[in-house]
Amino acid sequence: MSKFFVTTPIYYVNDVPHIGHAYTTVAADVVARYWRTKIGQENVLFTVGTDEHGVKIAQSARKVGLTPKHYTDQIVPKFKKAWRDLKIDYDIFIRTTDQHHKKTVQEVLGKIYQKGYIYKATYEGLYCEGCERFLTDEDLEDGKCPLHPNKQPVYQKEKNYFFKLSSFKDYLLDIFEKDKVQIRPRARKKEIIGKLKKGLQDISFSRESVKWGIPLPWDKSQTAYVWIDALLNYYTATRSAKNKRFWPPDLHLVGKDILWFHTVIWCALLKAADINPPKSIFAHGFFTVNGQKMSKSLGNVIKPQDLVKQFGAEAARYLLLSEFPFGQDGDFSLKKMKTRYNAELANGLGNLTARIFMLAQKASLRPKPKKSKTLEKTYHRYLQKLDFYSLSKLLRSEIKNYNQYLDKTQPWKLLEEEKMNKLKKTLQYSSEGLYNIFLLLAPFMPKTTREIQTKLQKPTKIHLFPRK
Ligand code: MSP
C-alpha cells in the first residue's frame, strides 16, 4: 500500500458536536495514525469537515436570527475545538461552503448532466428534514422517519432534477458482490445487496424550494440536493495538485444510518461522472446512552468535552473505541466508562507502569526493551480490520499478566535482598512487556506512548491515569 486516504462523514452544523460525531472521528484518527506509522506521514490523507447547506441548517440559522453563513461560521469552530481537544490530527477540514468545494460540485454535476443522467420531473412525497432525505413508504414507521420519530415528515411537491440511479443497478451489484468496493462488516454488505436487488429508483438531485445550497450550473433556480453536495466533499479534498494522488479513498468511515448514501448513491454518482469509486466503506453501529436513545430532550447527550474533562483526551479515545466492537451496536455511559477507566487504566496500566519505573529508578537500571514480533503481527491484523475491541481485550490480558508477574516475583524484595542479577532480568522482562503494551496503544494514546518510550530509557517516578 503506497498511500492511504481515510475520511469521516462531514457533520451537520445544526448542532454542537456530541459523542456520535466523536466516535467516528476518533476511529478515523486512530486509523490515520496507524497508517502514518506504517507507510509514512506524507502518504496518508485524513479528512473531516462540516455539512453546511440544506433546509435543516437554514432553519436553525433562522431560529437564532442569523444568516445561514453567519450561523455556520459560529458552529464550525466548535467542531474544530472538539477535534483539537480529542487530539484529532486531520489533514484537511472541508466546509461545504468553501468556494473550492462549490467549484468541484458544479464541475462534477455539470459532467453528469452532460452525460445524460439527469432529467426534470416532479417530486411528490415525504421528506425528513432531520435526515435531509426523501422517504418512501417502506422507510416509514408509524408514518414517521424511524430516526426522527418526533419530527413530522414534510409533504413536498416540487419540480426537481432527477438522477438516473436506476440505470446503475447492475454496475453496483457487480462492484459490491465482487468486493471491487468493499462494504464492511460483512452483514452490512449483505443488507445493501439485498436492498439493491429489490429494485432501485431514480432520486431527486436538486431542490427548487431550498435556496441555501449550491446552484446547479445549468439551472441556477435550483440548488444541488444537500447529500449530493456533501458526498462530493471527499472528492474536493483531493483536487489540489498535491493531493490528487490520494484518489480514490481507501476507507470511508460512517455510521450505519448513512451507509446507503455512501455505497449505492455515492458509487453511482462517481460512475456517472467517470470517477473511480472508493475502495472500502465501513459502517459502525449505533449506540444508546444509559440504555436510551441519545437525545437533547432526555438530557443524556454526552459531549466530547465531557469525556476529555473527566478522563483526559488519550484515555477518552481509548475508552470510546474499546467499550463494544466497532461495527456493532452498543451502549455508553459515563459511569461505565469511569469504572473501566479505574479498573483498566488507573489500577491496571497505571499501576504496572508506576511499579516498573519506580523499581528501575531505585535500582538505577535502564532496561532495553525490544519489539515483540508476535504482538506486532496481531496489532497490524486488528487495526487493518478495525477490530479495536479485540485489540483492547489483548491489551487487558497483557496488562493483567504483567501485573501478576510482578506480584509473583516481588522484585522490590529482590532489591532489598540485593539480588541484582535476578532483579535485572525481572525488570528487563516486565519493561519489555510494558513497552509492547504501549506500542499497541500508540494510535489511541500517542502522547503517553511517546512519553513512556522516552522515559523508559532513563526511568524516573511516573504517575499515569490518576484514579477518578
Ligand atoms: N451530514 C451527514 C453526513 C454527510 S457525509 C457525506 C450526517 N451528518 S450528522 O451530523 O447527522 O452525522 C451523524 C454521524 O454521527 C453519522 O455517522 C451517525 O452515524 C453518527 N451518529 C449520530 N448519533 C449516533 C449514535 N447514537 N450512535 C452512533 N453513531 C451516531 O449524517
Side-chain angles (χ1 to χ4, degrees):
M1 182 102 45
S2 58
K3 63 94 191 166
F4 198 85
F5 176 20
V6 56
T7 69
T8 68
I10 52 170
Y11 304 114
Y12 289 128
V13 287
N14 66 312
D15 201 358
V16 291
H18 57 61
I19 187 178
H21 307 121
Y23 188 58
T24 330
T25 310
V26 169
D29 186 69
V30 165
V31 170
R33 286 178 189 270
Y34 166 75
W35 282 101
R36 283 182 191 134
T37 316
K38 194 168 157 56
I39 61 173
Q41 176 97 9
E42 66 289 0
N43 294 321
V44 175
L45 182 68
F46 166 29
T47 66
V48 300
T50 40
D51 192 351
E52 304 185 20
H53 290 128
V55 199
K56 182 154 78 169
I57 309 297
Q59 279 173 354
S60 303
R62 203 170 313 126
K63 267 191 212 145
V64 289
L66 294 174
T67 63
K69 180 63 169 63
H70 203 148
Y71 170 77
T72 58
D73 283 348
Q74 291 196 342
I75 306 280
V76 169
K78 297 190 200 280
F79 275 88
K80 290 194 171 164
K81 175 160 192 324
W83 302 157
R84 226 175 12 252
D85 290 349
L86 274 168
K87 305 244 161 54
I88 306 296
D89 190 12
Y90 56 79
D91 297 299
I92 300 182
F93 191 109
I94 297 274
R95 296 183 58 176
T96 54
T97 49
D98 289 341
Q99 274 312 311
H100 68 120
H101 174 68
K102 181 175 166 187
K103 185 168 162 263
T104 307
V105 171
Q106 291 188 326
E107 271 169 23
V108 176
L109 300 195
K111 185 155 183 204
I112 297 176
Y113 181 69
Q114 272 163 18
K115 290 188 69 193
Y117 289 117
I118 306 289
Y119 61 95
K120 205 167 186 183
T122 300
Y123 177 81
E124 184 174 4
L126 294 175
Y127 189 82
C128 172
E129 290 179 344
C131 297
E132 294 280 10
R133 171 186 210 146
F134 301 93
L135 299 168
T136 62
D137 287 347
E138 262 182 32
D139 295 325
L140 300 175
E141 265 174 31
D142 297 328
K144 304 266 177 66
C145 162
L147 292 177
H148 296 93
N150 300 326
K151 248 187 156 145
Q152 191 61 44
V154 180
Y155 168 79
Q156 185 176 289
K157 186 176 175 188
E158 62 176 33
K159 278 246 176 285
N160 285 168
Y161 286 94
F162 276 68
F163 171 57
K164 289 186 185 167
L165 182 62
S166 57
S167 329
F168 294 90
K169 187 173 163 193
D170 292 342
Y171 165 74
L172 293 167
L173 278 173
D174 177 65
I175 57 172
F176 299 148
E177 276 178 337
K178 297 196 182 131
D179 285 335
K180 293 176 188 166
V181 173
Q182 249 187 55
I183 303 176
R184 293 184 287 165
R186 299 324 260 176
R188 299 266 171 245
K189 169 180 164 182
K190 273 199 190 149
E191 257 173 49
I192 294 288
I193 291 178
K195 201 170 155 197
L196 198 50
K197 281 187 172 160
K198 279 198 203 150
L200 202 53
Q201 281 171 3
D202 295 347
I203 55 160
S204 276
F205 191 75
S206 67
R207 298 293 311 272
E208 186 181 39
S209 61
V210 179
K211 298 294 163 230
W212 178 235
I214 300 181
L216 297 183
W218 65 90
D219 179 351
K220 302 267 182 324
S221 71
Q222 298 246 348
T223 56
Y225 169 39
V226 64
W227 261 100
I228 310 269
D229 163 358
L231 284 164
L232 281 165
N233 91 84
Y234 305 128
Y235 192 56
T236 301
T238 60
R239 290 309 79 210
S240 67
K242 180 172 151 252
N243 289 331
K244 274 209 169 106
R245 74 178 183 104
F246 282 101
W247 193 265
D250 294 273
L251 174 66
H252 288 307
L253 276 182
V254 299
K256 66 177 183 182
D257 53 328
I258 55 175
L259 184 60
W260 180 258
F261 285 104
H262 278 86
T263 49
V264 173
I265 297 180
W266 182 219
C267 293
L269 272 180
L270 290 171
K271 179 72 181 164
D274 286 331
I275 302 171
N276 285 333
K279 298 220 179 103
S280 74
I281 304 122
F282 190 107
H284 64 71
F286 245 59
F287 51 78
T288 45
V289 170
N290 295 319
Q292 287 176 305
K293 186 175 173 336
M294 183 168 62
S295 89
K296 267 194 214 161
S297 49
L298 287 173
N300 64 352
V301 176
I302 302 178
K303 301 206 183 96
Q305 60 264 40
D306 301 336
L307 296 177
V308 174
K309 217 193 249 160
Q310 184 151 6
F311 306 114
E314 303 221 335
R317 292 162 58 96
Y318 170 76
L319 292 171
L320 267 176
L321 293 183
S322 53
E323 183 72 36
F324 50 86
F326 199 63
Q328 291 179 23
D329 293 342
D331 183 64
F332 278 116
S333 82
L334 282 174
K335 198 168 152 211
K336 259 195 300 189
M337 285 176 126
K338 184 172 154 187
T339 309
R340 286 191 46 228
Y341 172 94
N342 282 331
E344 290 169 33
L345 297 179
N347 296 350
L349 185 55
N351 191 24
L352 179 66
T353 314
R355 293 205 283 179
I356 291 173
F357 271 72
M358 197 173 72
L359 268 166
Q361 188 199 17
K362 281 197 178 156
S364 304
L365 287 172
R366 292 184 182 188
K368 291 196 176 50
K370 282 197 306 272
K371 264 190 195 172
S372 150
K373 287 264 181 303
T374 334
L375 276 187
E376 206 188 5
K377 237 168 116 181
T378 317
Y379 164 77
H380 287 300
R381 189 157 50 86
Y382 285 155
L383 272 166
Q384 288 177 21
K385 286 198 314 187
L386 308 188
D387 191 353
F388 312 123
Y389 187 68
S390 297
L391 187 74
S392 71
K393 280 209 293 204
L394 172 65
L395 274 163
R396 279 197 287 276
S397 96
E398 289 290 300
I399 293 168
K400 190 169 152 210
N401 288 345
Y402 282 99
N403 266 326
Q404 280 176 349
Y405 172 78
L406 290 184
D407 294 344
K408 213 173 88 206
T409 49
Q410 304 199 313
W412 41 94
K413 282 204 178 142
L414 298 176
L415 181 65
E416 272 168 28
E417 293 160 13
E418 293 185 22
K419 294 184 176 156
M420 295 313 275
N421 258 345
K422 208 160 171 210
L423 175 63
K424 209 171 162 180
K425 274 190 197 143
T426 311
L427 258 178
Q428 177 60 29
Y429 177 75
S430 49
S431 56
E432 195 152 304
L434 187 71
Y435 178 82
N436 280 289
I437 285 169
F438 274 101
L439 281 181
L440 301 183
L441 273 170
F444 302 86
M445 301 189 183
K447 187 164 162 259
T448 317
T449 300
R450 269 196 308 275
E451 187 188 337
I452 294 297
Q453 285 173 347
T454 318
K455 289 195 175 158
L456 256 180
Q457 293 164 23
K458 193 173 184 284
T460 49
K461 220 170 146 189
I462 200 159
H463 183 47
L464 298 175
F465 315 118
R467 263 192 82 84
K468 303 288 171 194

